Amino acid sequence: MSKKRQKRKKIKEKLFNKRRLIILNEDTFEETFSLKLTLMNVFVVASLGAIIITFVTTFIIAFTPLREFIPGYSSSKLKRDAMELALKSDSLSKALKRNEAYIKSIQKVLTGELEYAKFNKDSILEAADEISTPVDLSPSKQEVELREQVAKEEKK
């Protein structure tokens, strides 16, 4: 036999030879526990144990509030509060623009640049609303053609 085969055979024998694990009472030398094992069994059990511990730890971190203590993860309450604050700040900025337009119009009336008879609060507020005009988001002909072309290429 070649040396490689002999080495493989020795490794196989070491892995699959049965060994006995015995736990003895030190005072009486009475056998408390006995177990027959092979090195392969020990390796398999240790590997499975490590995999199970990894999955359990990942599950605990991913699906419990513990993930909030990991840098980069924020709580759902914090995200919700940030969203509410963003919406409030947006509405406040719109209200501020309206008030600024109203104050500018009043200043024009007070300085005499605009006659009082032409001054109308509703028209000023409408003008402030017109500042933020909606954007047309419908696709152009070229974009539609490009989308169709990409869809055909993906089907191939």
Side-chain angles (χ1 to χ4, degrees):
M1 280 192 224
S2 67
K3 291 183 180 181
K4 285 185 179 181
R5 281 191 178 189
Q6 289 177 350
K7 285 183 182 180
R8 286 183 187 169
K9 193 172 184 179
K10 285 182 183 180
I11 291 173
K12 185 177 177 184
E13 286 178 13
K14 286 182 182 180
L15 284 175
F16 292 103
N17 276 347
K18 293 198 176 193
R19 320 255 174 172
R20 182 176 286 198
L21 174 67
I22 301 174
I23 299 176
L24 299 173
N25 185 348
E26 192 172 315
D27 295 333
T28 62
F29 293 109
E30 180 184 350
E31 184 178 314
T32 307
F33 181 72
S34 175
L35 185 64
K36 289 184 182 179
L37 298 170
T38 64
L39 288 177
M40 182 60 90
N41 290 347
V42 172
F43 176 73
V44 169
V45 169
S47 300
L48 288 175
I51 291 170
I52 289 170
I53 287 174
T54 303
F55 279 122
V56 168
T57 305
T58 304
F59 180 79
I60 288 172
I61 289 174
F63 298 109
T64 62
L66 282 177
R67 71 174 173 254
E68 294 174 13
F69 295 108
I70 297 174
Y73 285 100
S74 60
S75 67
S76 58
K77 183 182 182 300
L78 183 64
K79 288 180 182 177
R80 185 175 38 246
D81 290 345
M83 180 63 90
E84 287 176 11
L85 288 175
L87 292 173
K88 283 182 183 179
S89 66
D90 187 40
S91 63
L92 286 175
S93 65
K94 286 182 181 179
L96 181 65
K97 287 180 183 178
R98 281 185 175 177
N99 287 340
E100 285 178 353
Y102 183 70
I103 289 172
K104 285 181 184 177
S105 298
I106 290 176
Q107 285 176 347
K108 286 182 181 178
V109 168
L110 292 176
T111 57
E113 294 176 15
L114 184 68
E115 293 181 18
Y116 180 73
K118 294 181 182 177
F119 179 70
N120 186 359
K121 181 179 177 181
D122 294 332
S123 64
I124 294 170
L125 293 177
E126 287 175 12
D129 287 339
E130 289 176 6
I131 294 172
S132 58
T133 57
V135 180
D136 183 27
L137 297 176
S138 60
S140 64
K141 287 183 179 181
Q142 293 173 347
E143 190 174 350
V144 171
E145 291 173 1
L146 179 65
R147 287 181 185 181
E148 290 173 357
Q149 182 182 1
V150 169
K152 287 179 184 176
E153 289 178 1
E154 287 179 354
K155 288 181 182 179
K156 291 180 183 181

